[in-house]
Amino acid sequence: MDPSRQAALDLLTAVRVRDAYANLALPSILRRYRLHDRDAALATELGYGTLRARGLLDAVIEACTDRPLIRVEPALLDALRLGAYQLLRTRIPAHAAVDTTVELVRGDAGSRAAGFVNAILRKVGERDEQAWVERLAPPADEDPVGHAAMAHAHPRWIAQSFADALGAPEELDAALAADDARPTVHLLARPGEITAAELALVTGGEEAPYSPYGVHLEPGGGDIAEIDAVAEGLAVVQDEGSQLMALALSRAALAGADTGRWLDLCAGPGGKAALLGGIAALDGASVDAVEVSEHRADLVRRATDGLPVTVHKADGRAAPLPEGTYDRVLVDAPCTGLGALRRRPEARWRRRPEDVSGLTKLQRELLTAALRHVRPGGVVAYVTCSPHLAETVGVLTGVLRRHPDVEQLDAREYLPDMPDLGAGPTVQLWPHRHGTDAMFLALLRRIA
């Protein structure tokens, strides 16, 4: 048995059977097989890569079999996907990709199933990825969105949402390619605990280009929790884009003095609350953090332990907190997460277009609540990890129409070192432009 490939296959099984999140399931799988360094990196690459490319892999596998995929045993389909990924998207020799996958199947399901998998994978290996895309994808000149969606393993509706938000058809291919690539690991050096320069030195990473608290590590290094600085609580995993959202709120210009009362209205699991709390500790401020889920509220408490953060278990739409008193309010709204698909490899195949409408209603209600809690002259940051126009400018436009007492600030001014931020006043970050998740930011200041 090859333990790295078995671990990758176990990850696919966990996602399929238990609806597990890959990033949460993988560390325990790596520990179970005692994988470290290169072996852990291989298991991670194979597992995450297979999950990320599932739509493309399924199209290729279906073209190589005489039955619809729904009639293929799910466990065999997982193995076929794992083998096809190695054939199409890695440098692993074809014979090794096929032979190791067949052996995994033979050990679990017997020789007949192994023969079926062997036959299909040998057909898959007759073409490289580009040749399969040219055969199976819509022609690029007739359907550029459909072609890019298959080429970069995205559901078409998500590719269309990227195209709509970009407003630049020539960028879609680059945006989806960056979203489909293995992402760099981003760490947050906790303010007051360690500097980014120190964290980069002890981890062998590089200081982030835009966040003063960010450090980038090369992907594939195994279990991030085993990094000493992370294990000791000096650093946490947090995308640089997420760091910048909290930083922009802390920098935004108020009308009147900052009295040091800040609010995070949707705080779970606690990443941005921890950064705001760290900045607040340096500035002499305090943060109220609201989270409706008890489990996620506990995560916020752990993430902000020792910081001037008070956690409230409540629905942010009706939090039992004073209105009209907070200087700075963060609404990191629950969303489809389309902007972080590169870090959540299974998510793109779980989300559905119909998910959007229910979330936009919640987003409008949370942003409206934030405007009740902020004082005149105070600032609200509306943040989503999704570029979908319905979740970003759609929500914003609807709320502003009902609130003539609110003005938009130009969010670009509070991210001064970043290029390609568009025409403003909102900011949409992109993996292909900025190396971050596709985060959206709007800054609103109450004027009455």
Side-chain angles (χ1 to χ4, degrees), residues 65-81:
T65 183
D66 58 359
R67 67 182 78 169
L69 293 191
I70 195 170
R71 292 183 56 200
V72 177
E73 179 70 27
L76 294 186
L77 184 54
D78 283 342
L80 284 167
R81 289 165 175 161

Side-chain angles (χ1 to χ4, degrees), residues 27-51:
S28 63
I29 293 173
L30 295 179
R31 288 193 293 271
R32 184 193 316 154
Y33 289 100
R34 299 180 181 178
L35 298 179
H36 302 279
D37 303 327
R38 292 179 63 183
D39 292 334
L42 177 60
T44 302
E45 166 62 15
L46 295 183
Y48 277 24
T50 302
L51 290 167

Side-chain angles (χ1 to χ4, degrees), residues 109-120:
S111 296
R112 183 174 180 179
F116 171 74
V117 168
N118 180 68
I120 298 302

Side-chain angles (χ1 to χ4, degrees), residues 180-312:
D180 199 31
R182 185 170 55 166
T184 302
V185 176
H186 293 184
L187 297 180
L188 168 73
R190 298 187 63 161
E193 299 289 341
I194 191 172
T195 68
E198 291 167 339
L199 181 60
L201 184 64
V202 299
T203 59
E206 295 184 357
E207 292 183 62
Y210 309 120
S211 168
Y213 301 111
V215 169
H216 292 185
L217 303 179
E218 286 302 310
D223 189 352
I224 302 300
E226 293 182 356
I227 296 174
D228 288 343
V230 174
E232 294 166 7
L234 302 177
V236 295
V237 177
Q238 187 176 72
D239 183 79
E240 188 177 3
S242 293
Q243 298 175 34
L244 293 168
M245 301 298 100
L247 282 166
L249 175 62
S250 73
R251 296 166 175 169
L254 308 176
D258 190 335
T259 64
R261 297 200 68 181
W262 302 355
L263 173 62
D264 184 347
L265 206 55
C266 320
K272 294 183 183 69
L275 178 51
L276 279 178
I279 298 170
L282 298 176
D283 291 352
S286 63
V287 180
D288 283 313
V290 176
E291 172 52 49
V292 66
S293 159
E294 182 62 51
H295 170 66
R296 287 167 66 87
D298 283 340
L299 293 177
V300 179
R301 292 186 187 98
R302 278 181 247 163
T304 59
D305 185 40
L307 297 173
V309 177
T310 302
V311 180
H312 307 265

